[in-house]
Amino acid sequence: MGKGCVTATKYFLFLLNLLFFLCGGVIMGFGLWLLLDNQSFIVVLNDSTAVKIACYILIAVGAFSMLLGFLGCVGAIYEVRCLLGLYFTCLLLILLAQIAAGALIYFQKEALHDETAKVIGKVLDGYPGNNSAVEQAWDFIQRSMECCGWTSRQDWNGNMIIVNSSMLLFPCSCQNISVATGNISDSGFCEAQTTDWPVYDTGCASSVESWLGTNIGVVLGICAGVAVIELLGMILSICLCRNIHTEDYTKVPKY
């Protein structure tokens, strides 16, 4: 490989790693958003250890990707073979881990669905209407997606406040605004005039699955883009590493 090609590869690898660094920042930010946003769907599932672990993994992967991008930039600009070799190895391990994670999610879809239904069932049964973060998130989901319960409105029949109340209560955030009368509340419980609640008949599970189906192309596109960046980074790093014959570690800044 000529000197000009080596130089071009070096700077292209630097730009690629800069992009990789930014992608890592996006992944870490997404994980933090899932944990901290009071209106995200994850808030409803905060009793699930698996969901929390997934969020922490996203944060860790994002931080590691940022570190890896930084090392790749340094290794490319200063032509340090050990850093390029380490960078290639880490990218290979990350790519294999992503493939394994994708396969695990695909083959454990039913278990994930059951875990989600179990956690949400506990949320609905213990919903006291005191406007906590979990309740705000669930109320937001029911209002915005125009749904009630997880599979259907019947999921609310196990709520202790509704069961023990002498009045006919139903969750206000389920209220179908097209048939509701009087004041419409955003949260807590409302009183029904008859046993036929003026609520949406559709469960939120179908609405969430529909949203995921609509946006799955974006998710798959992002995953494919990240995989292409990783493969390109691996190819460029190994090519550059093979064509650097001597390491001049005096080039590496000593700060």
Side-chain angles (χ1 to χ4, degrees):
M1 186 183 291
K3 185 177 180 180
C5 290
V6 171
T7 302
T9 301
K10 179 173 68 173
Y11 286 104
F12 191 74
L13 184 60
F14 172 82
L15 293 175
L16 191 66
N17 277 284
L18 182 61
L19 180 61
F20 198 66
F21 179 88
L22 296 176
C23 287
V26 171
I27 293 172
M28 185 172 68
F30 181 66
L32 289 171
W33 172 71
L34 290 178
L35 281 178
L36 302 178
D37 184 16
N38 288 334
Q39 288 191 331
S40 72
F41 183 64
I42 299 300
V43 176
V44 181
L45 304 177
N46 66 354
D47 288 332
S48 173
T49 303
V51 172
K52 283 187 175 181
I53 290 175
C55 292
Y56 289 128
I57 288 176
L58 279 176
I59 296 171
V61 168
F64 182 71
S65 298
M66 293 176 70
L67 176 62
L68 193 60
F70 174 76
L71 292 179
C73 287
V74 173
I77 289 298
Y78 295 103
E79 300 181 6
V80 183
R81 293 186 71 182
C82 64
L83 284 181
L84 291 173
L86 177 63
Y87 171 76
F88 173 85
T89 303
C90 290
L91 273 185
L92 179 60
L93 293 176
I94 289 176
L95 186 60
L96 293 176
Q98 288 173 341
I99 295 173
L104 183 63
I105 292 174
Y106 179 79
F107 289 110
Q108 295 295 320
K109 287 187 297 184
E110 293 300 325
L112 182 61
H113 185 274
D114 293 341
E115 172 72 9
T116 302
K118 185 193 304 182
V119 173
I120 293 179
K122 292 180 180 179
V123 170
L124 300 185
D125 290 346
Y127 182 98
N130 58 10
N131 210 30
S132 66
V134 174
E135 293 170 12
Q136 288 178 16
W138 186 245
D139 289 335
F140 174 78
I141 291 168
Q142 292 191 139
R143 287 195 311 271
S144 61
M145 292 189 171
E146 298 185 348
C147 56
C148 191
W150 182 240
T151 56
S152 70
R153 55 190 287 183
Q154 303 300 323
D155 293 339
W156 283 98
N157 290 341
N159 181 271
M160 298 310 297
I161 292 181
I162 293 178
V163 171
N164 296 328
S165 176
S166 58
M167 299 181 293
L168 297 174
L169 298 181
F170 68 93
C172 296
S173 57
C174 279
Q175 197 164 194
N176 189 337
I177 59 176
S178 63
V179 298
T181 58
N183 295 328
I184 300 176
S185 178
D186 288 339
S187 61
F189 293 101
C190 295
E191 185 177 0
Q193 302 302 317
T194 66
T195 54
D196 185 19
W197 295 351
V199 299
Y200 299 109
D201 295 324
T202 307
C204 294
S206 58
S207 298
V208 171
E209 289 170 359
S210 175
W211 181 87
L212 290 175
T214 303
N215 294 276
I216 191 65
V218 176
V219 175
L220 292 177
I222 292 174
C223 292
V226 171
V228 169
I229 291 174
E230 290 171 347
L231 286 172
L232 190 56
M234 290 169 61
I235 294 171
L236 291 177
S237 63
I238 200 65
C239 289
L240 184 59
C241 188
R242 286 169 56 88
N243 287 275
I244 298 174
H245 301 293
T246 59
E247 295 92 346
D248 185 2
Y249 292 105
T250 60
K251 293 182 179 180
V252 182
K254 298 179 180 180
Y255 49 82

